[in-house]
């Protein structure tokens, strides 16, 4: 991303196969900004490892990544979020959130936030969370007439659908929604 330019990037990983994927945004010009939102669903016996990186290579750059994942069945998911601010690039700001919901006992999930900061006058933050679905949420949905399976599918859909909020092309947004509905069983 060059000087004073901005990039919004949404990526949804819903394939039915193992995935090892890296996504990097280089903020190369002063005042450049990047907002990335990633949604991943690992189900059955899929193994998915995503590495999402924001490289601040100029001063006064801004980067934000929000990574969301869901694991079901025996799915495995690793989300590595990396924020890097190089020396001399003061006034830059990098932020990340990595969250994964685990539905089943045989799932494996890791959310790994990394910050590599070589400058003093910057802002940097990260958050990570991996956890089971709240039983009260499932109970509430089931008390409204949904089966446990339907409730889990609806929660998965609701957790991953926000990636579409930064998609500008209606055709791409609709394709993602259809794929998510199919894979999440909604």
């Amino acid at each position: 991303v060059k000087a004073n330019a901005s990039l919004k990037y949404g990526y949804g990983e819903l394939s039915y196969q193992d995935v090892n994927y890296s996504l990097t945004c280089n903020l190369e010009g002063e005042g450049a900004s990047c907002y990335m939102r990633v949604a991943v669903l690992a189900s059955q016996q899929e193994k998915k490892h995503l590495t999402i990186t924001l490289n601040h290579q100029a001063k006064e750059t801004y980067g934000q990544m929000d990574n969301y994942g869901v694991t079901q069945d025996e799915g495995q998911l690793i989300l590595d979020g990396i924020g890097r601010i190089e020396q001399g690039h003061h006034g830059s700001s990098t932020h990340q959130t990595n969250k994964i919901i685990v539905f089943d006992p045989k799932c494996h999930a890791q959310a790994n936030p990394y910050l590599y900061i070589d400058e003093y006058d910057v802002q940097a933050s990260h958050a990570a969370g991996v956890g089971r679905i709240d039983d009260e949420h499932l109970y509430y949905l089931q008390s409204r007439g949904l089966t446990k399976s339907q409730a889990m599918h609806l929660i998965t859909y609701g957790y991953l659908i926000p990636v579409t909020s930064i998609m500008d092309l209606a055709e791409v947004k609709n394709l993602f929604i259809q794929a998510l509905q199919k894979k999440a069983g909604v």
Side-chain angles (χ1 to χ4, degrees), residues 12-173:
E13 172 49 56
L14 303 174
S15 67
Y16 292 91
Q17 60 192 9
D18 294 351
V19 171
N20 190 359
Y21 183 77
S22 294
L23 169 66
T24 301
C25 181
N26 294 317
L27 299 165
E28 297 178 349
E30 185 175 333
S33 66
C34 179
Y35 177 63
M36 300 189 312
R37 180 171 270 179
V38 174
V40 185
L41 176 54
S43 60
Q44 300 167 13
Q45 294 181 333
E46 300 160 0
K47 296 176 184 172
K48 298 187 178 187
H49 184 176
L50 279 75
T51 303
I52 301 98
T53 304
L54 285 168
N55 288 322
H56 296 261
Q57 300 171 331
K59 62 183 180 176
E60 298 181 14
T61 55
Y62 178 84
Q64 171 74 40
M65 72 171 80
D66 295 318
N67 306 317
Y68 295 91
V70 174
T71 57
Q72 300 172 342
D73 309 315
E74 295 180 31
Q76 297 181 24
L77 175 58
I78 300 172
L79 287 176
D80 293 327
I82 301 170
R84 184 177 285 116
I85 300 177
E86 298 176 6
Q87 188 173 18
H89 301 141
H90 59 84
S92 293
S93 183
T94 191
H95 306 282
Q96 63 174 285
T97 302
N98 304 283
K99 295 181 180 181
I100 303 173
I101 293 177
V102 177
F103 276 111
D104 299 301
K106 293 185 178 182
C107 294
H108 173 78
Q110 285 180 245
N112 303 313
Y114 300 101
L115 293 175
Y116 301 103
I117 309 299
D118 291 329
E119 182 59 57
Y120 289 103
D121 181 22
V122 298
Q123 293 181 3
S125 65
H126 62 75
V130 175
R132 288 181 31 85
I133 187 65
D134 187 340
D135 288 333
E136 289 182 19
H137 289 132
L138 286 175
Y139 175 78
Y140 175 82
L141 291 171
Q142 288 175 285
S143 71
R144 301 300 186 258
L146 297 176
T147 66
K148 183 176 181 178
S149 178
Q150 289 171 326
M152 289 170 55
H153 294 312
L154 187 60
I155 291 169
T156 298
Y157 180 81
Y159 199 67
L160 300 179
I161 198 66
V163 74
T164 62
S165 69
I166 64 170
M167 294 178 181
D168 293 333
L169 296 173
E171 184 177 346
V172 172
K173 186 183 290 193

